[in-house]
Amino acid sequence: MARPPGAPKSEGQFVQREPEIKPSAALRILWIARYVPYPADAGAKVYSAKLAESLAGAGNHVRFMGFGSTEAVPAEVRHVDWVEVPGARRSEVAAVFSRLPNAAAVDATSEYRRLLEKQLDEQWDAIVLDGYGTGWALDRCLAYRYGAARSTVLVHVSHNHEAAVWRDMVREARGSLPRRVVLRLNALKVQNLERRVARSVDLLTTITDEDGAALTAPMKSLAPQTITLTPGYAGEAAPVRSIDEWTPRRVAIVGSFHWVMKQENLRRFVELADPVFAANGIQLDIIGDVPEALRGALQSKARVTHFHGFVSDGALSQLLSQARMAIVPELIGGGFKLKLLDYLFGRVPIATLAAAAAGLPRALQAHMIVRSDLESLTAAIVADIDQFDVLNRRQELAFGMARTLFRWQDRGIQLSRAISRIRQERNAGRGEPAAVLKTFSTSTACEMREPQ
């Protein structure tokens, strides 16, 4: 697939950023999301919030809709017009019988549809479908796009290659036959909806180059324009630190472990690494919410693994400052790991699986321990735990690169410029997405509504 004009080359955004130029005119952008992303207690929420805020910070008007409460939105990000969807989501039981995957079916309420209809009475320069779960709104947005608002740009903000994630979930599924059947059925629904959304929009954004290649591969020449928008970092950078013999022999894992795939990754690593760490005098700190059942099961067998639960930013910084390394042991799940940014800006040397390092340039990975499996990753951590010169060199060089690579304001400018470019092409009579023109009819789009 040819690279669209102005799109970053593979890993190009890590070595040279485009000039920070705002579009000549402010854009009006409607952002359809699954939830109001505050409190920002999950990676997907952080990404949605900061990308929308950086887009507004680039001089655009952004109206962001989702379930939840706007009361938790911090005052400093009120430059985004946050709108909460009234009512509650549909039940997951009802979602099983929907043609849509679970994430989309539970959100496709009559209240959200009415709210969307109200918003579409206005003129929008772009409409963002945030994640595949907003695919329930695709047909209505296409009808709007191919009606009177032909200059409107449809954008899909992808958080992952979801079909691949769900294939992993099906492969690793445990439990009853009915549960595995439901998972497999939902995986098929996810694949179908994700593909349809990706091929129907004008602009596809992905977090990694790998996701972009996987999502557009089935479309060949009919693929939409695609840009990679890796996350930025919005927190505070840790002060300069030096790891020495006085630094506790600890390693840390940070995350939220409510998703089944993250639980499975944690379980596998703790069961394998805890006895190895115990034999070598290394403590493993798990920082973040872990479901009680999993925590109890792991604690009953663990010797040197400590569970700290959810902690404040200050407590997290303190715990990371007492660690010689931070670990990303996620073998299944895919996507960019936001915890990597916490580690990089916390000045903690990183040990990660290669599968979990997607989205990081090779030059940055060169300053980390990167291994292909849990056994070799654990062995490498043990081998380097007392190599102070190596650890300090890794964390300093990685931090130096990261602080120029992961800036949210750059992402907002990139996205704003990409939308403006497509609008200019369309106004000049170019840029109609061929896949949509061949398959979409406005006369049928409004009929493809999910039964209430």
Side-chain angles (χ1 to χ4, degrees):
M1 182 183 67
R3 183 172 59 93
K9 298 178 181 178
S10 178
E11 298 188 7
Q13 64 178 297
F14 295 103
V15 295
Q16 183 177 4
R17 290 193 300 273
E18 294 183 276
E20 297 189 5
I21 302 173
K22 294 183 180 180
S24 57
L27 302 170
R28 298 192 75 251
I29 300 166
L30 180 64
W31 194 293
I32 303 171
R34 296 202 63 206
Y35 32 63
V36 175
Y38 286 99
D41 51 7
K45 289 185 176 182
V46 172
Y47 187 81
S48 294
K50 296 307 176 185
L51 187 57
E53 290 159 19
S54 67
L55 187 58
N60 305 297
H61 172 76
V62 178
R63 184 173 298 167
F64 190 111
M65 302 189 298
F67 286 96
S69 173
T70 58
E71 293 182 1
V73 176
E76 62 268 20
V77 296
R78 293 290 179 175
H79 58 292
V80 173
D81 182 12
W82 305 97
V83 179
E84 58 188 69
V85 177
R89 289 183 166 93
R90 301 169 70 193
S91 74
E92 295 197 3
V93 174
V96 173
F97 301 98
S98 170
R99 66 179 176 84
L100 295 168
N102 180 278
V106 298
D107 286 359
T109 65
S110 57
E111 289 86 355
Y112 206 157
R113 292 181 186 277
R114 281 193 291 268
L115 179 62
L116 176 59
E117 288 293 336
K118 181 179 179 181
Q119 305 308 313
L120 294 182
D121 286 338
E122 301 181 31
Q123 178 64 46
W124 300 100
D125 298 314
I127 299 175
V128 173
L129 296 171
D130 186 354
Y132 81 98
T134 61
W136 64 266
L138 174 64
D139 289 322
R140 182 63 188 94
C141 292
L142 285 172
Y144 177 87
R145 157 73 172 82
Y146 286 97
R150 296 188 64 82
S151 63
T152 301
V153 176
L154 293 187
V155 183
H156 175 42
V157 170
S158 169
H159 290 251
N160 216 329
H161 182 205
E162 299 291 349
V165 172
W166 278 87
R167 282 197 297 269
D168 287 345
M169 290 180 68
V170 170
R171 186 178 62 249
E172 303 295 333
R174 303 292 183 268
S176 66
L177 177 61
R179 180 177 182 275
R180 297 199 305 273
V181 170
V182 169
L183 278 176
R184 184 176 295 275
L185 177 60
N186 197 64
L188 291 173
K189 294 178 182 179
V190 169
Q191 175 179 282
N192 291 337
L193 183 61
E194 182 180 49
R195 286 182 177 178
R196 184 165 185 269
V197 172
R199 73 169 182 260
S200 299
V201 297
D202 307 300
L203 177 64
L204 171 66
T205 81
T206 61
I207 295 181
T208 68
D209 290 341
E210 295 88 343
D211 285 349
L215 286 168
T216 57
M219 294 179 265
K220 298 182 172 61
S221 62
L222 299 180
Q225 294 195 31
T226 304
I227 59 173
T228 300
L229 300 175
T230 54
Y233 183 72
E236 295 292 328
V240 175
R241 67 183 293 238
S242 180
I243 300 169
D244 56 28
E245 66 272 17
W246 300 106
T247 307
R249 300 182 90 244
R250 296 180 184 173
V251 293
I253 298 175
V254 178
S256 178
F257 303 93
H258 291 286
W259 190 32
V260 63
M261 299 301 282
K262 292 186 179 293
Q263 294 174 25
E264 181 63 16
N265 285 321
L266 181 64
R267 181 189 66 77
R268 291 185 182 191
F269 183 73
V270 172
E271 289 179 351
L272 183 147
D274 183 85
V276 178
F277 289 165
N280 289 276
I282 300 170
Q283 177 175 311
L284 173 60
D285 291 321
I286 309 298
I287 308 166
D289 282 331
V290 179
E292 194 59 39
L294 176 61
R295 178 173 177 165
L298 293 177
Q299 276 187 324
S300 66
K301 301 177 183 178
R303 296 166 55 191
V304 293
T305 300
H306 295 250
F307 291 85
H308 296 268
F310 177 80
V311 299
S312 65
D313 289 345
L316 173 59
S317 298
Q318 180 63 26
L319 286 167
L320 288 179
S321 72
Q322 294 298 303
R324 295 191 183 185
M325 278 183 262
I327 310 170
V328 187
E330 298 186 24
L331 189 61
I332 49 180
F336 189 98
K337 311 302 180 186
L338 281 172
K339 69 182 72 177
L340 286 165
L341 300 185
D342 289 323
Y343 299 162
L344 287 166
F345 287 88
R347 297 178 184 267
V348 189
I350 295 172
T352 180
L353 289 172
L360 296 181
R362 294 185 183 90
L364 185 53
Q365 292 186 39
H367 305 307
M368 305 174 182
I369 294 175
V370 182
R371 296 293 185 271
S372 60
D373 58 77
L374 294 177
E375 291 81 2
S376 60
L377 181 67
T378 303
I381 292 169
V382 172
D384 284 2
I385 193 74
D386 296 319
Q387 303 300 314
F388 304 125
D389 289 344
V390 172
L391 295 176
N392 284 312
R393 182 169 65 252
R394 282 178 182 156
Q395 58 104 345
E396 279 301 320
L397 291 173
F399 173 81
M401 291 186 66
R403 64 181 178 180
T404 65
L405 300 180
F406 301 105
R407 299 176 359 128
W408 275 118
Q409 57 265 46
D410 294 347
R411 306 302 179 257
I413 292 167
Q414 282 180 277
L415 181 53
S416 186
R417 292 181 65 179
I419 293 171
S420 295
R421 186 182 304 116
I422 293 173
R423 283 176 52 78
Q424 291 167 5
E425 291 174 354
R426 182 162 302 145
N427 290 335
R430 306 189 304 275
E432 292 289 359
V436 179
L437 288 176
K438 288 183 178 180
T439 61
F440 178 74
S441 165
T442 57
S443 64
T444 60
C446 294
E447 297 172 7
M448 297 178 64
R449 300 290 186 87
E450 183 73 10
Q452 298 302 311

